[in-house]
Amino acid sequence: DAMVIQNPRYQVTQFGKPVTLSCSQTLNHNVMYWYQQKSSQAPKLLFHYYDKDFNNEADTPDNFQSRRPNTSFCFLDIRSPGLGDAAMYLCATSRDGGASAVRETQYFGPGTRLLVL
Amino acid sequence: KQEVTQIPAALSVPEGENLVLNCSFTDSAIYNLQWFRQDPGKGLTSLLLIQSSQREQTSGRLNASLDKSSGRSTLYIAASQPGDSATYLCAVNSGGGADGLTFGKGTHLIIQP
């Protein structure tokens, strides 16, 4: 089945130690998103890629970076994790290019829960 | 800046009841609105997407309506089942087809057997 895959599902890191979260998709969608969801909070958009074009949200801390080496993969790098970065990180994809529900729907992966010690 | 609010924050009803979840947004200039379901510790599952030109969408026992001018959407769940227990999130796309979503905090729904 076509899907959005996130690895690992759980990640434990130490305060200040760089960590990378991975997302891959078999949907061949041209747009990929990263959201951060803290406990009992709404998911918050960090950034997204439209093809190779990177779009950063204005209030996303510089500590968060992203890479998209090809259509299928997208990475979230946290350069120096702090205790406040503990959260669920959600990757999503969509296919842009025409106004239809199929093309506009965002499809989410299962998420990676990050714990910072 | 778009803000999305969902009421109630939590809801518990007996199995078989019909129920309505509410979502409101501050900027009516939206591109589309999407309803998701989230099970504990899991990712989001898309339920319905309503484009800005539409008034409602239906999928099985779910019906979502959109009143863009008043900044409101409702998700109607008919004949609720214990398996419907989850958190339901409303999200709006304000910018365009490829833009990210602004989410509400969700309604935590419990269906009592």
Side-chain angles (χ1 to χ4, degrees), chain A:
Chain A
D1 289 340
M3 60 180 65
V4 182
I5 302 161
Q6 291 189 245
N7 287 306
R9 295 292 310 278
Y10 300 91
Q11 177 73 58
V12 181
T13 191
Q14 293 179 337
F15 182 93
K17 184 176 181 180
V19 65
T20 295
L21 309 182
S22 170
C23 177
S24 64
Q25 53 126 343
T26 60
L27 297 162
N28 201 32
H29 284 173
N30 56 338
V31 191
M32 295 186 77
Y33 311 81
W34 281 103
Y35 292 85
Q36 178 192 62
Q37 186 180 25
K38 296 186 177 181
S39 181
S40 301
Q41 297 293 313
K44 180 179 179 298
L45 180 67
L46 295 174
F47 26 59
H48 75 276
Y49 274 94
Y50 189 114
D51 293 323
K52 293 183 178 181
D53 293 333
F54 179 70
N55 299 272
N56 197 28
E57 292 299 296
D59 54 357
T60 298
D62 292 339
N63 197 28
F64 292 86
Q65 305 283 322
S66 185
R67 297 170 283 134
R68 190 180 186 185
N70 53 52
T71 299
S72 300
F73 284 86
C74 194
F75 300 99
L76 170 62
D77 301 309
I78 308 176
R79 294 192 297 185
S80 181
L83 298 179
D85 296 326
M88 173 78 88
Y89 290 88
L90 298 163
C91 175
T93 73
S94 72
R95 172 189 271 180
D96 188 50
S100 74
V102 172
R103 290 187 178 277
E104 296 171 6
T105 298
Q106 290 193 19
Y107 296 89
F108 281 76
T112 294
R113 183 166 296 281
L114 178 68
L115 179 62
V116 181
L117 301 179

Side-chain angles (χ1 to χ4, degrees), chain B:
Chain B
K1 181 181 177 182
Q2 181 73 270
E3 292 183 3
V4 179
T5 303
Q6 291 188 246
I7 294 174
L11 182 64
S12 180
V13 301
E15 179 178 4
E17 282 200 4
N18 303 325
L19 56 99
V20 174
L21 308 181
N22 296 292
C23 171
S24 62
F25 45 93
T26 54
D27 185 349
S28 62
I30 66 169
Y31 191 74
N32 62 49
L33 183 145
Q34 201 165 350
W35 282 93
F36 293 90
R37 168 186 174 137
Q38 186 172 33
D39 292 288
K42 303 289 181 62
L44 279 63
T45 300
S46 178
L47 298 174
L48 290 164
L49 182 146
I50 308 177
Q51 294 173 302
S52 61
S53 59
Q54 297 176 323
R55 297 283 297 190
E56 67 177 336
Q57 282 288 326
T58 298
S59 176
R61 294 183 292 109
L62 305 179
N63 176 277
S65 68
L66 174 64
D67 184 343
K68 203 172 67 164
S69 62
S70 67
R72 294 181 182 179
S73 176
T74 62
L75 179 67
Y76 175 83
I77 302 176
S80 59
Q81 303 170 359
D84 295 330
S85 298
T87 296
Y88 290 80
L89 294 155
C90 167
V92 299
N93 179 333
S94 300
D99 271 23
L101 299 172
T102 302
F103 282 85
K105 289 185 177 182
T107 294
H108 180 55
L109 176 65
I110 296 175
I111 307 299
Q112 306 157 9

